[in-house]
Amino acid sequence: MVKIFSGSSNKSLANKVSESLNTSLSPLEITIFPDGERRVRVVDSVVDQDTVVIQSTAAPVDENYMELFFIVDALKRSSAKSVTAVIPYLGYQRQDHIFRDGEAVSLDVVIKALVAAGASRVVTFDLHSIKIPEQFSIPVTHLSALPLFAEKINKEDAVLVSPDMGGIRRIKILSELLGNMPYATIVKNRDLDTGEVIAEKIEGKVSKNAIIIDDMISSGKTIVAAANLLSKNGAEDIIAMATHAVFSNGVSSTLQNSAVSKVIVTDSIEIPKEKHFPKLEVLSIADIIAKELATSN
Ligand code: R5P
């Protein structure tokens, strides 16, 4: 049986995954020194064993990544046969290529560090771009929360909406899962310096009920701009669904006071209590991860 370890970023998801596999998390000592440095120690023997470490690399992104690298390193040095890094939310995925001259490709740097630490495989969810797995030199299993969202969607007089052109592939997959449900796409523009979002126009027909589907919500500006445009174009009930609740500061009141009636996300990132709001519903991806680990280990 594979041994499952958890970093500090999303223990509740890691616990749910291990419960779903009828096991418990293996012990790990994580000490944080007064200067902020971390020390990681694997407690039980993992010699010749397949191991899994679950860590979401959301905020604090750099700390969570460093901790993940240390856990992977500790497992390899303790002679684990393999280390699968389950990274439900892959931090830096929006910096996967050069947008403007002179920029670093941050995602490339963290991938190199992860592989150098000893990870043998990555399992992750709803990546911003389907080309990201190609940037890794180790196998990547790219899972999706779309089937969870499909179960929540009422198709009556409704349309699926991608809030930008980058989400078309996602919306087509969901539409197919729902028996070719109609979909529309918004043409969005974002100012790279200010982060301001403008939803310019909608391509496709708007229905009474609109369901916006995105990979992540950070500032909430994309969802708000899309919902306002949909509302102007006749949508009466607007729901937003996104896999990753990146939720930067201030997003909860932005979304609670917006034109959307509900915001449905997953637990790929642990949402602190103070960021919960009445319109929020959180679905769990734990069973999807457990199923993947059970069939591949
Ligand atoms: C952008 O291309 C992504 O798919 C999301 O729409 C975006 O990252 C959401 O960010 P925010 O909530 O800050 O608008």
Side-chain angles (χ1 to χ4, degrees):
M1 181 68 186
V2 65
K3 281 200 161 159
I4 303 176
F5 297 83
S6 175
S8 316
S9 69
N10 203 341
K11 265 244 163 94
S12 57
L13 174 63
N15 273 315
K16 281 186 193 157
V17 172
S18 55
E19 269 166 34
S20 183
L21 288 168
N22 289 320
T23 180
S24 46
L25 292 176
S26 295
L28 202 58
E29 268 178 32
I30 300 178
T31 313
I32 304 177
F33 293 102
D35 62 358
E37 287 187 0
R38 271 153 211 256
R39 180 176 61 195
V40 167
R41 183 174 160 256
V42 173
V43 181
D44 295 343
S45 169
V46 290
V47 175
D48 280 336
Q49 292 206 299
D50 291 313
T51 62
V52 169
V53 48
I54 301 177
Q55 175 84 319
S56 291
T57 49
V61 185
D62 298 341
E63 282 173 28
N64 287 332
Y65 261 119
M66 288 308 282
E67 190 180 273
L68 173 62
F69 301 151
F70 297 156
I71 298 170
V72 172
D73 183 71
L75 289 167
K76 280 311 281 183
R77 285 177 196 277
S78 305
S79 302
K81 186 163 113 199
S82 69
V83 183
T84 296
V86 175
I87 314 176
Y89 171 72
L90 184 77
Y92 286 113
Q93 60 179 285
R94 284 173 291 178
Q95 295 184 51
D96 60 336
H97 64 273
I98 293 173
F99 292 86
R100 291 176 292 185
D101 283 352
E103 286 180 352
V105 183
S106 314
L107 182 64
D108 247 2
V109 178
V110 292
I111 290 173
K112 279 180 198 150
L114 186 63
V115 174
S120 12
R121 175 186 172 217
V122 166
V123 176
T124 188
F125 272 82
D126 288 325
L127 292 168
H128 188 59
S129 151
I130 50 160
K131 293 184 91 44
I132 288 175
E134 294 169 22
Q135 286 178 247
F136 285 79
S137 55
I138 53 175
V140 176
T141 303
H142 185 183
L143 301 174
S144 178
L146 290 177
L148 285 182
F149 293 147
E151 283 171 21
K152 300 290 286 186
I153 289 173
N154 178 356
K155 292 192 282 180
E156 214 173 299
D157 203 357
V159 62
L160 300 172
V161 180
S162 172
D164 51 41
M165 303 305 274
I168 291 182
R169 192 189 138 270
R170 200 172 301 125
I171 214 86
K172 281 185 179 165
I173 293 173
L174 190 54
S175 161
E176 262 177 44
L177 276 176
L178 290 161
N180 293 324
M181 189 174 162
Y183 62 86
T185 311
I186 289 177
V187 177
K188 164 184 120 175
N189 260 315
R190 186 194 291 267
D191 184 314
L192 282 182
D193 291 317
T194 62
E196 282 319 304
V197 169
I198 300 164
E200 288 180 349
K201 59 174 181 173
I202 301 172
E203 290 182 354
K205 193 173 160 290
V206 177
S207 308
K208 189 171 145 214
N209 302 303
I211 303 131
I212 305 170
I213 307 292
D214 211 347
D215 55 342
M216 65 183 84
I217 300 175
S218 181
S219 65
K221 287 178 180 172
T222 299
I223 296 296
V224 169
N228 289 342
L229 188 62
L230 286 164
S231 189
K232 269 191 214 149
N233 282 271
E236 290 171 23
D237 186 53
I238 305 163
I239 294 176
M241 296 182 172
T243 306
H244 308 296
V246 176
F247 282 12
S248 49
N249 284 340
V251 73
S252 313
S253 58
T254 303
L255 293 174
Q256 180 62 27
N257 299 323
S258 72
V260 299
S261 61
K262 206 169 204 182
V263 178
I264 303 179
V265 296
T266 78
D267 56 358
S268 68
I269 295 171
E270 192 164 295
I271 308 170
K273 271 209 174 73
E274 63 277 13
K275 286 193 176 168
H276 280 253
F277 52 98
K279 287 181 180 174
L280 182 70
E281 182 178 342
V282 184
L283 309 176
S284 184
I285 56 170
D287 287 344
I288 302 179
I289 298 173
K291 198 170 157 207
E292 173 60 32
L293 295 177
T295 49
S296 59
N297 277 288

